[in-house]
Amino acid sequence: MASSVISPCFSTVARRRISSSLPNPNQFLFSQSQSHPSSFATRNFPFVSIKASNTERIQEAFGSDPSSTPASASSSQVQTGTWIWRGYKIRYQYSGTAGPALVLIHGFGANSDHWRKNIPFLATSNRVYAIDLIGYGYSDKPNPRELGGSFYTFDTWADQLNSFCSEVVRDLAFFICNSIGGLVGLQAAVTDPSICKGIVLLDISLRMLHIKKQPWYGRPFIKSFQSLLRNTPVGKLFFNAVATSDSVKSILCQCYHDTSAVTDELVQIILQPGLDPGAADVFLEFICYSDGPLPEELLPKVECPVLVAWGEKDPWEPVELGRAYADFKAVEDFIVLPNVGHCPQDEAPDLVNPIVESFVRRHN
């Protein structure tokens, strides 16, 4: 669809560069990025770190045998709560009665149910909260046109996260984040360093569609295309093409390396909140949000420890690019998760859960 609206005044080369940077339904369920192949091979180990401390990390997470599978978590009751923030209803889930506080932050188009395979395990030794960011899941979805200015931004979500910690968690917390949730966690930690004890970033969005990462000659056209999505019926047509069971399943099968994890339950978890009134406006508002912070701008400002874990087979956020984040001072380790896609917490909880548990134990 994107290429059909490109102005003929651009050269062939320019058209190719610009069309490759325009949004398409297969990239916007959880992230804002471009599709790149990943070839970093780590198939023989549960996970591979590019920092020297990897052996210690493996032993700490899994015990002396890194190939062993962690014991199954006992069933912890997961409860649902509603919190009023700025007059809006925010849905969250929680479990666990003792230990450090963890707040789980989902990616674009997802919600707290995307952590259903993580909450019970982590709640055996932690107080775990998973929040629906405003505009997503079963939280309210105020119409951005009625609010004036930019509302669905990382500043807004960071304020929501910090307020949630102050008013609901009432304690310092570790932020466990997937995709754009990673930008939310980083922004929150930069905005108020006194709240966050540490951050785990799972396939954080590289934001390859950010205006700073586009060629200068394409930027005016991108703004025009965003205006087309926001202000004409084209945007709703675009959303309607995505908001179906078949489309959601197709997108998930692209970002999950193990497609057997794409169950009917998962499809409905993602789809159903997207059918709520106002969801289309939120969707279009965010895919037209091409400014704001980049991870490489926030990481130097973070004061707490950060662990980055990355699915080796992520087609949207390529591990080859993500590995550059290992060089930031705050990042204590970068772990590659073999044969895993963009949402490792759901596709490979047996790898992610002990990594999170180990990180929290080290820094609590």
Side-chain angles (χ1 to χ4, degrees), residues 19 27-28 82 100 106 120 123-124 149 154 172 177 196 244 249 278 296 298 329 331 343 345-346 349-350 355 357:
S19 63
Q27 291 175 301
F28 278 104
T82 300
H106 62 79
T124 59
F154 294 113
L172 307 184
C177 321
C196 183
T244 68
K249 184 173 184 178
E296 53 267 34
L298 293 173
K329 182 179 179 181
V331 177
C343 306
Q345 80 278 10
D346 188 61
D350 56 322
I355 290 173
E357 184 68 31

Side-chain angles (χ1 to χ4, degrees), residues 170-189:
R170 298 183 180 181
D171 198 357
L172 307 184
F174 290 90
F175 298 159
I176 317 301
C177 321
N178 176 229
S179 193
I180 68 144
L183 273 298
V184 176
L186 290 176
Q187 183 66 70

Side-chain angles (χ1 to χ4, degrees), residues 152-222:
Y152 292 105
T153 68
F154 294 113
D155 285 326
T156 298
W157 290 316
D159 183 56
Q160 178 190 354
L161 177 56
N162 284 335
S163 297
F164 181 77
C165 291
S166 298
E167 298 176 19
V168 178
V169 180
R170 298 183 180 181
D171 198 357
L172 307 184
F174 290 90
F175 298 159
I176 317 301
C177 321
N178 176 229
S179 193
I180 68 144
L183 273 298
V184 176
L186 290 176
Q187 183 66 70
V190 169
T191 301
D192 189 344
S194 68
I195 290 177
C196 183
K197 297 180 70 174
I199 305 174
V200 175
L201 300 175
L202 303 171
D203 292 66
I204 186 173
S205 173
L206 297 167
R207 302 206 68 199
M208 296 300 292
L209 294 177
H210 195 284
I211 196 70
K212 292 180 181 178
K213 297 187 176 182
Q214 304 309 312
W216 64 268
Y217 49 79
R219 294 177 185 179
F221 176 78
I222 291 171

Side-chain angles (χ1 to χ4, degrees), residues 10-91:
F10 288 97
S11 67
T12 301
V13 174
R15 289 199 299 270
R16 288 176 180 169
R17 284 293 302 275
I18 296 168
S19 63
S20 69
S21 66
L22 291 176
N24 66 71
N26 294 334
Q27 291 175 301
F28 278 104
L29 194 56
F30 306 105
S31 74
Q32 268 194 304
S33 185
Q34 291 174 314
S35 179
H36 296 266
S38 175
S39 60
F40 188 68
T42 58
R43 296 188 181 118
N44 296 327
F45 302 94
F47 46 78
V48 173
S49 166
I50 64 173
K51 289 197 172 182
S53 58
N54 184 59
T55 300
E56 297 174 0
R57 298 290 185 263
I58 292 175
Q59 291 176 345
E60 205 169 359
F62 286 106
S64 59
D65 179 7
S67 64
S68 66
T69 302
S72 299
S74 60
S75 56
S76 299
Q77 183 180 7
V78 179
Q79 302 182 68
T80 299
T82 300
W83 167 56
I84 305 300
W85 177 69
R86 297 190 187 181
Y88 299 112
K89 293 180 180 179
I90 304 298
R91 177 244 201 169

Side-chain angles (χ1 to χ4, degrees), residues 100-267:
L102 281 58
V103 182
L104 316 183
I105 306 145
H106 62 79
F108 175 59
N111 58 79
S112 58
D113 289 331
H114 211 196
W115 300 97
R116 70 200 185 284
K117 299 178 183 178
N118 316 101
I119 298 173
F121 180 98
L122 297 173
T124 59
S125 54
N126 306 280
R127 290 172 292 130
V128 183
Y129 301 82
I131 190 172
D132 285 2
L133 297 174
I134 191 166
Y136 296 107
Y138 296 96
S139 290
D140 281 350
K141 302 171 178 64
N143 190 327
R145 295 175 181 273
E146 298 174 358
L147 298 173
S150 298
F151 182 74
Y152 292 105
T153 68
F154 294 113
D155 285 326
T156 298
W157 290 316
D159 183 56
Q160 178 190 354
L161 177 56
N162 284 335
S163 297
F164 181 77
C165 291
S166 298
E167 298 176 19
V168 178
V169 180
R170 298 183 180 181
D171 198 357
L172 307 184
F174 290 90
F175 298 159
I176 317 301
C177 321
N178 176 229
S179 193
I180 68 144
L183 273 298
V184 176
L186 290 176
Q187 183 66 70
V190 169
T191 301
D192 189 344
S194 68
I195 290 177
C196 183
K197 297 180 70 174
I199 305 174
V200 175
L201 300 175
L202 303 171
D203 292 66
I204 186 173
S205 173
L206 297 167
R207 302 206 68 199
M208 296 300 292
L209 294 177
H210 195 284
I211 196 70
K212 292 180 181 178
K213 297 187 176 182
Q214 304 309 312
W216 64 268
Y217 49 79
R219 294 177 185 179
F221 176 78
I222 291 171
K223 291 296 185 182
S224 297
F225 185 73
Q226 291 171 339
S227 178
L228 180 72
L229 290 177
R230 274 198 186 109
N231 302 316
T232 74
V234 171
K236 293 297 176 65
L237 291 172
F238 180 72
F239 176 79
N240 290 338
V242 175
T244 68
S245 294
D246 288 344
S247 292
V248 170
K249 184 173 184 178
S250 175
I251 294 167
L252 288 168
C253 284
Q254 291 184 33
C255 72
Y256 278 57
H257 180 67
D258 177 9
T259 57
S260 69
V262 181
T263 62
D264 290 341
E265 177 194 29
L266 176 61
V267 170

Side-chain angles (χ1 to χ4, degrees), residues 290-301:
S290 57
D291 48 14
L294 293 165
E296 53 267 34
E297 295 171 341
L298 293 173
L299 278 167
K301 303 175 183 178

